Amino acid sequence: MTYDSTGHLLLTPVDREAPLRVRRLRQLGIGDRPDPDFDAFAERLAKVTGAPYSMVNFIDENQQFFAGLHTPNGTHTTEQLSATAAAGGGGVSRYMARDHGYCPHVVVRRKALVLEDVCDYPRFAGNPVVDEIGIRSYLGAPLIDRTGTALGTICVVDTEPRPWGRPGLETIKSLAAELVEQIHRREDGRL
């Protein structure tokens, strides 16, 4: 665990691979703009899991970027999402601070994370997404490419606790492997 100089537990893990990840994402030409293929993947991810929110998320040193995004009303653009948030529909957009959410943990751990009810885990219950967006459940897996770089994550979230269980874990891991293969085909020019 990492503590700051005052002895407080830091909720966001130190990410020593961020510079390498950013270089690899630039090499692949992904992770800095919305991508219709990733939006379609996020929509499929939501359908498969039954989750209202799903993301294809790439993380740099300072922020997270949802290159693929699905919300309950199907909005994808920042303008549409801002309007949804202003109308009381939650504060989701394409960008999120690195200290918000659970994907930075998945990238640093390089392992899937299942939080059926985030409030059951003191380390995760205090995350800003709980109060600001109302997130209560998370299921995510890392996107580790052929170079061994953890590029980002795929994840689904819900505003209600969800019993993801072993089937949810296996599903998210399988879908992450599928998306990594899609990224490799794109890199190889086979898409």
Side-chain angles (χ1 to χ4, degrees):
M1 289 192 198
T2 305
Y3 294 87
D4 69 12
S5 59
T6 63
H8 293 98
L9 176 66
L10 296 176
L11 298 178
T12 304
V14 174
D15 183 1
R16 290 174 178 44
E17 289 188 2
L20 173 65
R21 178 180 319 107
V22 170
R23 282 192 302 275
R24 180 68 175 139
L25 289 170
R26 285 187 186 134
Q27 180 183 28
L28 292 168
I30 60 175
D32 60 353
R33 62 189 172 282
D35 185 306
D37 291 337
F38 294 151
D39 280 339
F41 193 90
E43 183 174 351
R44 181 168 160 248
L45 183 58
K47 286 180 182 174
V48 167
T49 62
Y53 299 92
S54 59
M55 297 91 168
V56 175
N57 186 10
F58 298 105
I59 303 170
D60 67 21
E61 295 97 331
N62 305 308
Q63 66 185 2
Q64 304 175 66
F65 178 72
F66 304 127
L69 178 64
H70 174 80
T71 65
N73 60 1
T75 57
H76 297 294
T77 68
T78 303
E79 293 78 22
Q80 290 170 317
L81 291 167
S82 296
T84 301
V92 179
S93 77
R94 292 272 183 181
Y95 294 93
M96 185 177 284
R98 222 186 137 273
D99 65 346
H100 283 52
Y102 310 106
C103 291
H105 295 272
V106 172
V107 166
V108 170
R109 290 168 22 123
R110 303 172 63 86
K111 292 170 41 176
L113 179 62
V114 179
L115 300 171
E116 294 182 342
D117 185 342
V118 299
C119 294
D120 289 343
Y121 304 89
R123 178 178 185 149
F124 298 117
N127 194 284
V129 297
V130 175
D131 292 332
E132 292 175 16
I133 303 174
I135 300 304
R136 287 290 303 272
S137 185
Y138 173 90
L139 177 64
L143 299 170
I144 301 175
D145 83 339
R146 62 177 65 142
T147 68
T149 304
L151 302 173
T153 68
I154 61 168
C155 69
V156 294
V157 296
D158 201 337
T159 56
E160 301 292 329
R162 295 281 300 257
W164 303 112
R166 170 90 55 220
L169 175 63
E170 295 305 320
T171 297
I172 201 77
K173 288 167 59 176
S174 173
L175 288 167
E178 183 180 317
L179 184 58
V180 167
E181 182 55 35
Q182 180 180 331
I183 291 168
H184 290 162
R185 284 193 309 271
R186 181 187 287 196
E187 180 180 30
D188 296 341
R190 294 183 283 146
L191 239 178

